[in-house]
Amino acid sequence: MTNHQITIALTKGRIEKDTVTLLEKAGFDMAFMADKGRNLIFESPDKKFRFLLVKAPDVTTYVRHGVADIGVVGKDVLMEHPTGYLEMLDLNFGLCKFSVASTDDYEPNDHKRKRIATKYPTVATDFFNERGEDVEIISIQGSVEIAPVIGLADAIVDIVETGSTLVANGLKVYEDICRISARLIVNKAALKNNPQVLPFIRKIESIVGNEEVPFQ
Ligand code: PRP
């Protein structure tokens, strides 16, 4: 196998596009990723970089196993899968937030044990446990907004970006949990053993800066 200097696992979709734009700003020629087709592995012509396009939760898996040196993925995924890598940079794109949302008749201060539907059981459990509330978590794979409407759950914990999915399904935000953005993560051994990795991260850091862009 070719000795690739840096392998980067990217979250397919918007994060991937924003990452390519960021790398172009940092001076890298990313033309080789322009005509993607159905390809999932891309190598730069100078063989210095290899990109893997994968689903968000799998980015942490590739980095944890060391087959990718670096990963770019949303903080939402990192909060759900918090171990096996180092989080290095807030890339300040892919901005959104975690919120608790429900229908108009939801009573957040009700003392009965709440049923919370979510794609993020760890985030939801931690949030309610930190405020001393034991809740029943109902794990859902997607279209979570249906759950309170149809009576499966009292509320949801989910990502809100524009808020239009909530509005379209008759839900509103009751509480914001935290800001989410894309993050750069690294495999610990790669950071130590691959001399190309830290200079690459420093280069990206010089473009994104240290200031956190707030989610409006
Ligand atoms: C995410 C999230 C919300 C929606 C929020 O879902 O789970 O449903 O986006 O975006 P908005 O605030 O701009 O409306 P995604 O598109 O990933 O689909 P999914 O529900 O199938 O997971």
Side-chain angles (χ1 to χ4, degrees), residues 144-210:
V144 184
E145 291 82 359
I146 293 172
V149 177
I150 211 81
L152 176 66
D154 299 305
I156 62 171
V157 165
D158 201 17
I159 289 172
V160 177
E161 189 182 356
T162 62
S164 40
T165 312
L166 291 183
V167 172
N169 291 285
L171 305 184
K172 65 180 187 189
V173 169
Y174 279 85
E175 194 163 351
D176 289 333
I177 298 177
C178 64
R179 169 188 175 275
I180 298 169
S181 57
R183 307 294 163 102
L184 186 148
I185 61 171
V186 68
N187 174 276
K188 223 188 232 180
L191 184 63
K192 198 171 150 207
N193 301 326
N194 183 340
Q196 306 300 324
V197 166
L198 190 58
F200 173 79
I201 294 172
R202 292 284 172 250
K203 177 86 186 159
I204 300 301
E205 187 178 26
S206 71
I207 304 298
V208 294
N210 297 318

Side-chain angles (χ1 to χ4, degrees), residues 49-114:
F49 295 98
R50 181 170 61 166
F51 289 90
L52 316 176
L53 304 187
V54 302
K55 292 237 180 202
D58 298 332
V59 169
T60 57
T61 307
Y62 282 89
V63 172
R64 190 167 54 244
H65 286 269
V67 289
D69 303 302
I70 286 172
V72 180
V73 64
K75 181 68 178 176
D76 52 323
V77 170
L78 300 184
M79 288 170 74
E80 225 17 69
H81 305 274
T83 57
Y85 55 82
L86 297 173
E87 184 183 323
M88 299 292 285
L89 296 178
D90 183 340
L91 299 176
N92 277 323
F93 57 71
L95 298 179
C96 51
K97 61 182 179 177
F98 268 130
S99 300
V100 180
S102 191
T103 46
D104 283 339
D105 57 358
Y106 174 60
E107 290 181 31
N109 299 321
D110 198 337
H111 288 305
K112 74 165 192 170
R113 189 171 184 240
K114 296 183 181 75

